[in-house]
């Protein structure tokens, strides 16, 4: 092996002064930097060229001094011995042509095909998987395998926007790469423009009887652009629809005193009123006839965001993110992603019912968010709202909104709307027949017309019919007055149960029987749970009585086995004796 190069050799090379070539014509077309490199190389190469034969050890020493490979030294010696030109001592430049491929055209075709059909797909494979797939196909065709560098260089030629569009969709690509332009006009007073949007809450709720996990609910939020105050919200287990929009608007327009007392809210929420304009996305729920007719009836304008420009709804989007951040620490929180959730089990930890979650959101909005400084205007939404309503000494306020004289009509005008034909059995909607005297009068006059009807999803035991005679709504109850009051969620669950049993031609009797069966299961589960608890307490009491005379200190007993979570599977406990029966306050 070649040892270290003597320091004298290195010093001799370093002593080369300013370039003074003997053959000025040869150096005339070289730049100063190229000339300096050529002269340094000539000091090392010239002694080797003068010899009749250069040994391998001498070539390795020269390569070490020049910082190149031994093969490069042999190439330089061959060129310089033939011409004695300084230019032949310079490093050779690549002969490749930009944009030209030296791979087999068949290999290039395979690379292009894998890029298009494999790498730029919704599967989103990484570069290692793409390289492996390309080399596998080349090997199957008996072609030379391309290097990873050749593949990655070709991949870098594809614009990033095209990669994101193919892998995640053009909408995502536009959001990430398209320049942001345009904005909504500024507002100068409360209620000039209100933004509304939905989201799925990152918390699993439980039922109110057995505290068993149900699902993640949906929340619809309305925010005032001027003050950034939350005007209202609606929480439901049903997917976002025109009903969610309507109920959120009703909650935003009406004063919240009665509602706050009903749910137990202890913080003031003075924000309410009829907005001049609502600003929403292009979802079908906002384009529904019920919402459009309701807004027209109450003098509100609907304006839709430009398509493909989500930044126009940034105000409500940030509010939704703030609301979801407030539930991250609640029991049953799912987190915004799998990584954020970690190894937690939200179903097992879930403990909040839908009314409790509603109170939690109401407390957060009215007691915390409205009292926190907002980065947009530098004051709290509560203060901004009050100044916009009552004025601040410099600007005149808008004034308190006029109260709605007919709140029930406001609610009805935003309920889901259908057109149903009147028959001898009444009006049928969702498998239920509705009948009332007003319908009988229409039948007696031979009017089997189609009527506009609306339904409150919280109670579908009745509907509202718009009379064409006086343009008023009339409440129409179920044909069978013995039918119980039930929600749309219960009704649809019962319909699915009946269809699952194979009774496609079901009638109302089967439908309501299914509802009663589900409620009976729930009631039995609650009774069984309470009975099991009373039995366990009775057993513990008998144990304490037996040992009470011997030792006054309590003795630990083995904890009973926990009940199964499913309401139809429970552990039977011992029945208490007559003399051990006592009341337990659940």
């Amino acid at each position: 092996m070649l040892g270290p190069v003597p320091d004298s050799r290195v010093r001799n090379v370093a002593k080369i002064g300013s370039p003074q070539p003997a053959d000025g014509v040869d150096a005339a077309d070289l730049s100063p930097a190229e000339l300096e490199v050529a002269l340094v190389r000539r000091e090392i190469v010239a002694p080797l060229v003068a010899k009749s034969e250069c040994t391998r050890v001498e070539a390795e020493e020269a390569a070490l001094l020049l910082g190149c490979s031994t093969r490069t030294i042999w190439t330089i010696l061959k060129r310089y011995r033939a011409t004695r030109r300084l230019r032949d001592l310079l490093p050779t430049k690549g002969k490749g042509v930009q944009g030209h491929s030296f791979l087999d055209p068949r290999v290039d075709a395979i690379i292009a095909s894998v890029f298009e059909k494999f790498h730029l797909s919704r599967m989103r494979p990484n570069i290692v998987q793409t390289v492996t797939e390309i080399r596998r196909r080349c090997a199957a065709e008996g072609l030379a395998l391309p290097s990873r560098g050749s593949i990655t260089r070709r991949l870098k030629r594809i614009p990033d926007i095209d990669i994101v569009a193919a892998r995640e969709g053009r909408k995502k690509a536009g959001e990430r790469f398209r320049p942001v332009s345009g904005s909504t006009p500024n507002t100068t007073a409360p209620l000039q423009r209100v933004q509304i949007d939905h989201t799925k809450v990152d918390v699993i709720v439980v039922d109110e009887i057995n505290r068993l996990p149900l699902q993640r609910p949906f929340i619809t939020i309305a925010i005032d652009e001027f003050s950034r105050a939350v005007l209202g919200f609606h929480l439901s287990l049903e997917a976002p629809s025109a009903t969610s929009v309507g109920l959120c608007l009703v909650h935003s327009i009406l004063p919240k005193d009665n509602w706050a007392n009903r749910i137990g809210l202890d913080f003031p929420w003075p924000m309410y009123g009829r907005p001049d304009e609502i600003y929403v996305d292009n979802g079908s729920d906002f384009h529904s006839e019920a919402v459009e007719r309701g807004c027209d009836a109450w003098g509100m304008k609907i304006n839709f965001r430009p398509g493909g420009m989500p930044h126009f709804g940034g105000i409500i989007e940030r509010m939704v993110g703030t609301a979801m951040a407030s539930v991250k620490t609640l029991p049953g929180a799912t987190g915004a992603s799998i990584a954020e959730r970690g190894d937690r089990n939200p179903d097992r930890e879930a403990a909040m019912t839908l009314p409790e979650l509603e109170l939690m959101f109401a407390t957060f909005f009215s007691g915390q968010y409205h009292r926190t400084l907002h980065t947009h205007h530098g004051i709290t939404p509560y203060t901004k709202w009050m100044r916009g309503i009552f004025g601040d000494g410099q600007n005149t306020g808008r004034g308190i909104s006029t109260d709605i004289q007919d709140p029930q009509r406001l609610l009805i005008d935003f309920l889901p709307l259908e057109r149903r034909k009147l028959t001898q059995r009444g009006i049928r909607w969702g498998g239920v027949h509705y009948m009332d005297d007003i319908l009988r009068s229409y039948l007696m006059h031979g009017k089997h017309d189609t009527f506009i009807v609306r339904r409150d999803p919280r109670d579908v035991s009745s509907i509202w019919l718009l009379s064409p005679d006086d343009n008023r709504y009339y409440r129409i109850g179920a044909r069978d007055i013995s039918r119980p009051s039930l929600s749309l969620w219960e009704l649809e669950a019962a319909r699915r149960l009946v269809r699952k049993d194979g009774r496609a031609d079901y009638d109302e009797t089967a439908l309501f029987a299914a509802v009663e069966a589900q409620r009976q299961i729930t009631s039995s589960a609650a009774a069984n749970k309470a009975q099991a608890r009373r039995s366990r307490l009775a057993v513990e009491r008998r144990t304490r009585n037996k040992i009470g005379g011997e030792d006054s200190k309590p003795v630990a007993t083995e904890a009973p086995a926990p009940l199964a979570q499913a309401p139809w599977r429970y552990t039977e406990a011992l029945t208490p004796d007559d003399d051990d029966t006592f009341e337990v306050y659940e």
Side-chain angles (χ1 to χ4, degrees):
M1 296 296 293
L2 181 64
V5 180
D7 293 342
S8 58
R9 293 290 303 272
V10 178
R11 285 194 297 270
N12 290 336
V13 174
K15 289 179 181 178
I16 298 177
S18 59
Q20 299 292 334
D23 44 355
V25 177
D26 180 26
D29 58 345
L30 298 181
S31 66
E34 290 177 332
L35 179 59
E36 183 176 359
V37 172
L39 291 178
V40 171
R41 288 195 168 199
R42 188 173 65 176
E43 287 292 328
I44 298 174
V45 173
L48 301 180
V49 174
K51 295 182 178 181
S52 58
E53 184 177 353
C54 179
T55 64
R56 181 177 65 84
V57 174
E58 293 174 333
E60 289 178 348
E61 291 181 352
L64 185 62
L65 290 173
L66 295 181
C68 61
S69 65
T70 306
R71 183 175 179 180
T72 300
I73 293 297
W74 294 120
T75 302
I76 292 175
L77 291 175
K78 181 178 179 182
R79 289 203 314 263
Y80 188 71
R81 183 178 286 116
T83 63
R84 294 295 199 280
R85 291 174 54 86
L86 291 176
R87 175 168 297 281
D88 291 327
L89 292 172
L90 296 176
T92 57
K93 298 181 179 180
K95 299 180 180 180
V97 180
Q98 186 176 6
H100 178 75
S101 174
F102 290 95
L103 292 179
D104 189 319
R106 294 173 295 177
V107 175
D108 267 332
I110 291 176
I111 294 176
S113 176
V114 172
F115 281 173
E116 179 182 1
K117 299 179 180 179
F118 182 75
H119 190 79
L120 302 181
S121 66
R122 294 303 178 110
M123 297 183 295
R124 294 188 285 183
N126 56 36
I127 186 62
V128 175
Q129 294 169 324
T130 300
V131 170
T132 302
E133 178 65 14
I134 291 173
R135 295 169 68 89
R136 183 190 67 80
R137 295 191 185 186
C138 290
E141 297 290 335
L143 302 174
L145 304 183
S147 66
R148 174 169 176 166
S150 299
I151 297 173
T152 54
R153 282 193 295 271
R154 285 161 174 76
L155 184 60
K156 290 179 180 178
R157 298 171 189 168
I158 304 175
D160 292 340
I161 188 173
D162 293 340
I163 296 177
V164 176
R167 288 181 156 214
E168 304 179 35
R170 295 195 174 275
K171 180 179 178 181
K172 287 288 186 182
E175 293 176 0
R176 187 176 304 177
F177 296 99
R178 186 183 296 118
V180 175
S181 61
S183 61
T184 57
N186 292 329
T187 54
T188 58
L191 299 175
Q192 281 189 352
R193 189 184 303 111
V194 172
Q195 294 192 16
I196 304 177
D197 204 357
H198 324 275
T199 191
K200 202 169 189 178
V201 182
D202 298 333
V203 173
I204 295 177
V205 296
V206 298
D207 69 276
E208 298 182 45
I209 298 179
N210 297 315
R211 297 279 174 168
L212 298 180
L214 292 176
Q215 66 181 50
R216 292 166 58 189
F218 297 87
I219 188 172
T220 305
I221 304 176
I223 186 172
D224 175 58
E225 285 192 12
F226 173 77
S227 63
R228 298 300 200 266
V230 176
L231 280 183
F233 70 98
H234 175 66
L235 197 65
S236 173
L237 292 174
E238 300 173 1
S241 63
T243 305
S244 307
V245 180
L247 295 178
C248 180
L249 275 174
V250 171
H251 187 246
S252 303
I253 296 172
L254 297 178
K256 300 175 176 58
D257 297 338
N258 295 334
W259 167 79
N261 293 332
R262 178 174 57 83
I263 69 171
L265 179 62
D266 296 329
F267 298 90
W269 194 336
M271 297 81 176
Y272 73 93
R274 182 169 44 189
D276 301 333
E277 175 188 343
I278 62 173
Y279 196 60
V280 295
D281 59 28
N282 288 273
S284 59
D285 45 351
F286 295 110
H287 280 282
S288 67
E289 183 181 4
V291 175
E292 293 178 354
R293 287 173 65 100
C295 290
D296 290 340
W298 292 91
M300 293 180 290
K301 178 183 176 182
I302 302 181
N303 196 2
F304 297 94
R305 304 179 198 166
M309 295 186 178
H311 60 278
F312 276 85
I315 296 176
I316 186 61
E317 296 290 348
R318 286 190 292 271
M319 182 65 250
V320 167
T322 302
M324 292 306 100
S326 68
V327 302
K328 285 186 176 182
T329 58
L330 296 181
T334 62
S337 63
I338 296 178
E340 184 177 317
R341 182 185 310 171
D343 57 355
R344 291 181 299 155
N345 187 342
D347 284 334
R348 183 179 302 171
E349 299 174 357
M352 300 192 71
T353 64
L354 196 65
E356 291 170 344
L357 186 61
E358 180 185 23
L359 178 58
M360 194 286 305
F361 274 120
T363 303
F364 171 73
F365 291 143
S366 62
Q368 183 176 348
Y369 172 75
H370 286 166
R371 303 287 182 165
T372 304
L373 294 178
H374 200 285
T375 56
H376 172 68
H377 41 58
I379 57 178
T380 66
Y382 179 90
T383 302
K384 188 70 172 178
W385 173 271
M386 301 303 285
R387 290 180 182 178
I389 295 296
F390 299 104
D392 56 2
Q394 299 178 353
N395 301 311
T396 303
R398 173 171 180 148
I400 300 175
S401 299
T402 304
D403 290 341
I404 302 298
Q405 299 301 322
D406 191 356
Q408 187 179 59
R409 179 60 187 261
L410 175 67
L411 172 62
I412 295 174
D413 282 336
F414 284 100
L415 292 178
L417 178 148
E418 290 281 348
R419 288 175 171 82
R420 297 285 171 169
K421 188 175 180 60
L422 176 61
T423 66
Q424 294 293 335
R425 301 187 62 187
I427 293 179
R428 187 175 186 269
W429 191 355
V432 181
H433 285 88
Y434 300 91
M435 177 60 75
D436 195 79
D437 291 339
I438 188 173
L439 296 181
R440 294 187 179 94
S441 65
Y442 285 121
L443 290 174
M444 291 177 61
H445 291 83
K447 295 183 179 180
H448 294 265
D449 299 334
T450 300
F451 293 87
I452 292 178
V453 291
R454 296 177 183 268
R455 180 177 62 178
D456 191 338
R458 297 168 297 183
D459 184 6
V460 296
S461 60
S462 62
I463 60 175
W464 295 92
L465 177 133
L466 180 62
S467 173
D469 298 334
D470 55 7
N471 196 35
R472 294 179 58 188
Y473 279 98
Y474 292 88
R475 184 178 180 277
I476 310 297
R479 181 184 179 92
D480 188 345
I481 60 175
S482 64
R483 302 306 188 196
S485 175
L486 70 160
S487 66
L488 179 60
W489 188 82
E490 289 180 298
L491 178 65
E492 294 300 327
R495 296 182 72 182
R496 289 192 296 268
L497 179 62
V498 171
R499 292 192 188 100
K500 185 178 180 181
D501 290 343
R503 291 174 283 178
D505 55 344
Y506 64 87
D507 55 11
E508 283 187 36
T509 302
L511 181 64
F512 281 90
V515 174
E516 288 296 335
Q518 294 178 24
R519 291 184 174 180
Q520 184 62 34
I521 291 174
T522 303
S523 300
S524 299
N528 292 334
K529 185 175 182 179
Q531 176 63 30
R533 181 182 179 185
R534 285 194 294 267
S535 300
R536 290 196 303 270
L537 292 175
V539 172
E540 294 175 4
R541 180 168 176 263
R542 286 201 303 269
T543 303
R544 290 195 301 269
N545 291 340
K546 290 179 180 179
I547 65 176
E550 302 175 1
D551 189 356
S552 59
K553 295 183 180 181
V555 178
T557 57
E558 184 178 357
L563 297 178
Q565 289 190 351
W568 53 87
R569 291 168 52 207
Y570 62 93
T571 304
E572 294 186 358
L574 298 177
T575 303
D577 298 336
D578 293 338
D579 58 347
D580 289 328
T581 304
F582 56 96
E583 293 185 1
V584 176
Y585 294 97
E586 294 291 338

